[in-house]
Amino acid sequence: MKDKLIIKVEGLHKSFDNLEVLKGIDLDVHEGEVISIIGGSGSGKSTLLRCINFLEKKNKGNIFINGKKIKRSANEINKLREKVGMVFQRFNLFPHKTVLKNVMVGPVVIKKKNKEQVEKNALKLLENVGLEDKADVYPAMLSGGQQQRVAIARALAMEPDVLLFDEPTSALDPELVGEVLHVIDKLAKGGMTMLIVTHEMGFAKEVSDRVVFLHEGKIEESGTPTEIFDNPKSERLKSFISSIW
Amino acid sequence: MNFIINLFTPFVEFFTVVFKYAPKFDKAIIYTLELSIFSILLGTLIGLIVTTLKLTKFKVLQKIAYFYISIVRGTPLLLQLYFIFYGLPLIGLEFNSFTSAIIGLAFHSGAYISEIFRGAIVSIHYGQEEAARALGMSKVQSFFHIILPQAFKRSVPSLGNQFIIAVKDSSLASVITITEITLTARQFSAATYNPFPILFIAGVYYYVIITILSKSLKRLEGRLRVDER
Ligand SMILES: Nc1ncnc2c1ncn2[C@@H]1O[C@H](COP(=O)(O)OP(=O)(O)O)[C@@H](O)[C@H]1O
Ligand SMILES: [Mg+2]
């Protein structure tokens, strides 16, 4: 089953005004794969994820989700986003909703599912991220690590085919990083397909099937964690790794 | 002894008039309350509609919205009321004085309320809409389920201010013959040749109405703050 393509990116280009941020990205993500994206600040990691989720409009190239090429129609993009979950650096929980309602709002509003069923499922998801006792609390009362775990549960509630993480632990105090990584690790072991932008090299090495090194809008090198971290080929990757360890 | 009586006589007279005339404001109070409530409700509705116009991507609608706001802001409310009551009938649009006042007051506060809403909406962090859209919500869903509730909460303090101004502005309806508190006070003053206690009554009534309003708004604000630390 590892052969089913969830995401296929072909020759993706993206510019902001005159600034070319992505200069031809090709990337395949298969079902059950965990891919880490590493690279310096400004190399285009966030932009790549945001293009895959259509939060940014690509300039050139193709993106296929589940083998389907995406057109511009708003309806189609909304439908697609249901299949592609996203977890942000700054959590972006909905502050006016309780933790439980944050997790429920997607299925209830978008899929118009039965509330009781959704609630049951949401509570189970909260249990999976270790926050079932916080169901009725508002996000402002939670630590960053807890908020990020809620954000993961919220994304999972839509039953996505793939989860995109954009530096999920960068906004956290060091002592809270572990609890979030633990949840992501659990998802990986459960077979969730994931694309993770991260600076946690130890974690990337441990959890990933493949690591992609982005440099100035291009994939400079990609391979297994061992290839990337222990036998980097390009000079840029070597110096990036030595700078970050 | 006489000295002390002389000192108290004005007070006694003052409050005699106050207690005699205070109950006679009953209809006036109802008018003031009706003007305030209708203009606030209608003004909020207008404000919401105009906000939507301002936030659409259709340039024409935006232009209309901003034109309306600039007119309201750029001319006195008093003149606007005169215009609706005395001016519009000349082109065949005739309303009774009460309807004219409601229209004038609502259009007036609607402009300010729309600015309050717009400010609150754009102050919501863009990450909120992104998170909603990333879940798969449409623009409309994200607006009504995620952005608007937060914006509404954020706008309550300024909205409350605007409501208080609306109560005070209702006194201008007196110039188009509505016997609300201010006009009633003027009539009683003229009849009694004793304006001081009469105006005092009017002041107290306004003060009580506005105090009740602002207390309720504070309570609403408090209740909306449950999601804060
Ligand atoms: N909305 C935007 N408008 C203009 N420039 C942007 C925008 N988003 C990102 N950029 C620029 O694109 C480049 C890549 O950004 P980003 O993808 O966020 O990098 P990374 O996530 O790897 O740090 C940066 O130079 C950044 O300033
Ligand atoms: Mg980034």
Side-chain angles (χ1 to χ4, degrees):
Chain A
M1 272 317 282
K2 279 251 163 181
D3 286 333
K4 190 184 165 201
L5 260 182
I6 302 283
I7 297 174
K8 184 173 184 62
V9 177
E10 250 178 21
L12 175 65
H13 287 257
K14 170 71 190 173
S15 306
F16 294 106
D17 300 321
N18 294 325
L19 178 70
E20 196 178 17
V21 176
L22 297 179
K23 305 167 180 167
I25 301 280
D26 297 293
L27 181 67
D28 287 355
V29 185
H30 294 87
E31 188 169 42
E33 245 187 331
V34 177
I35 298 181
S36 291
I37 301 173
I38 61 173
S41 170
S43 57
K45 306 181 297 295
S46 298
T47 305
L48 173 58
L49 287 196
R50 294 167 59 82
C51 283
I52 293 175
N53 205 12
F54 308 97
L55 289 173
E56 302 289 355
K57 268 194 196 134
K58 63 182 171 27
N59 294 111
K60 225 164 77 182
N62 291 313
I63 299 172
F64 301 85
I65 308 282
N66 284 332
K68 223 173 133 206
K69 187 168 156 183
I70 306 319
K71 308 210 189 68
R72 293 207 164 211
S73 102
N75 252 338
E76 204 172 322
I77 287 176
N78 292 342
K79 269 265 158 280
L80 238 130
R81 287 202 181 109
E82 294 180 23
K83 296 277 123 206
V84 181
M86 179 117 177
V87 174
F88 300 87
Q89 184 174 345
R90 305 225 138 256
F91 334 130
N92 297 348
L93 290 181
F94 306 132
H96 62 301
K97 291 182 180 294
T98 61
V99 163
L100 182 63
K101 290 276 156 61
N102 262 276
V103 181
M104 288 174 63
V105 68
V108 169
V109 169
I110 302 163
K111 295 186 173 169
K112 313 250 184 303
K113 280 196 178 172
N114 170 282
K115 268 195 184 164
E116 277 161 44
Q117 196 53 46
V118 172
E119 182 173 327
K120 225 190 252 170
N121 193 41
L123 286 168
K124 204 180 294 160
L125 288 168
L126 285 175
E127 196 182 318
N128 289 345
V129 298
L131 289 171
E132 65 275 25
D133 55 327
K134 299 287 184 194
D136 297 320
V137 156
Y138 287 93
M141 285 84 175
L142 300 180
S143 73
Q146 292 171 327
Q147 290 192 47
Q148 193 60 299
R149 287 186 278 151
V150 175
I152 293 172
R154 176 178 69 178
L156 288 171
M158 290 299 288
E159 298 173 323
D161 293 333
V162 55
L163 268 187
L164 313 178
F165 292 85
D166 191 359
E167 301 195 30
T169 59
S170 294
L172 299 178
D173 291 334
E175 75 271 19
L176 302 177
V177 168
E179 63 189 59
V180 172
L181 294 183
H182 175 72
V183 167
I184 300 175
D185 186 46
K186 233 168 70 176
L187 287 173
K189 295 204 166 92
M192 188 75 208
T193 313
M194 294 188 283
L195 207 50
I196 309 170
V197 171
T198 183
H199 290 299
E200 298 288 334
M201 295 303 151
F203 177 72
K205 189 171 176 182
E206 203 175 297
V207 78
S208 317
D209 298 305
R210 220 150 29 102
V211 180
V212 169
F213 172 58
L214 216 56
H215 181 78
E216 289 178 358
K218 283 193 193 131
I219 294 182
E220 178 87 17
E221 200 169 327
S222 80
T224 63
T226 323
E227 286 168 346
I228 294 292
F229 292 113
D230 300 338
N231 296 303
K233 293 190 188 67
S234 75
E235 284 309 314
R236 282 177 185 134
L237 178 55
K238 277 180 199 163
S239 76
F240 175 73
I241 284 173
S242 63
S243 76
I244 212 149
W245 273 114
Chain B
M1 196 59 193
N2 260 349
F3 171 73
I4 293 182
I5 288 174
N6 282 344
L7 204 67
F8 273 102
T9 316
F11 282 101
V12 174
E13 276 170 11
F14 180 87
F15 281 105
T16 312
V17 180
V18 166
F19 284 114
K20 181 169 171 215
Y21 279 90
K24 300 191 182 193
F25 273 79
D26 54 347
K27 289 215 181 66
I29 294 170
I30 302 283
Y31 265 133
T32 291
L33 287 177
E34 281 178 349
L35 287 170
S36 308
I37 291 169
F38 285 134
S39 73
I40 285 170
L41 290 181
L42 199 58
T44 306
L45 184 68
I46 293 173
L48 257 182
I49 294 169
V50 175
T51 307
T52 328
L53 296 187
K54 279 190 286 195
L55 295 175
T56 57
K57 46 186 178 204
F58 302 108
K59 283 266 159 18
V60 193
L61 297 180
Q62 286 178 17
K63 287 249 164 67
I64 293 173
Y66 281 106
F67 178 68
Y68 155 65
I69 289 167
S70 73
I71 294 294
V72 167
R73 276 182 161 173
T75 59
L77 174 55
L78 193 57
L79 199 70
Q80 293 163 16
L81 290 173
Y82 280 141
F83 179 77
I84 292 169
F85 189 57
Y86 298 112
L88 287 185
L90 301 179
I91 57 164
L93 276 173
E94 197 163 345
F95 307 103
N96 67 31
S97 60
F98 189 73
T99 312
S100 301
I102 297 284
I103 294 174
L105 294 170
F107 260 84
H108 189 79
S109 47
Y112 290 99
I113 289 172
S114 79
E115 285 290 86
I116 292 170
F117 280 148
R118 193 192 60 91
I121 287 169
V122 302
S123 79
I124 303 297
H125 192 266
Y126 65 87
Q128 290 292 304
E129 175 160 13
E130 284 195 346
R133 303 301 303 277
L135 275 179
M137 284 191 202
S138 66
K139 272 199 158 150
V140 176
Q141 286 170 333
S142 123
F143 183 73
F144 283 104
H145 290 275
I146 305 303
I147 308 299
L148 199 57
Q150 296 182 55
F152 174 73
K153 180 189 159 186
R154 215 168 273 191
S155 63
V156 165
S158 331
L159 215 49
N161 254 342
Q162 195 56 45
F163 290 174
I164 287 168
I165 291 173
V167 175
K168 295 185 187 176
D169 280 353
S170 74
S171 66
L172 288 173
S174 60
V175 302
I176 54 172
T177 73
I178 296 174
T179 47
E180 43 65 73
I181 294 176
T182 301
L183 183 52
T184 303
R186 213 150 63 210
Q187 288 170 348
F188 286 157
S189 303
T192 57
Y193 297 109
N194 195 358
F196 191 43
I198 301 287
L199 295 176
F200 175 78
I201 300 170
V204 169
Y205 280 135
Y206 278 117
Y207 186 81
V208 168
I209 293 172
I210 288 169
T211 305
I212 292 172
L213 178 60
S214 71
K215 283 253 152 62
S216 330
L217 286 161
K218 274 276 167 300
R219 189 170 304 168
L220 175 65
E221 264 179 65
R223 208 170 302 163
L224 287 171
R225 261 204 293 268
V226 292
D227 60 356
E228 287 169 23
R229 192 183 266 279

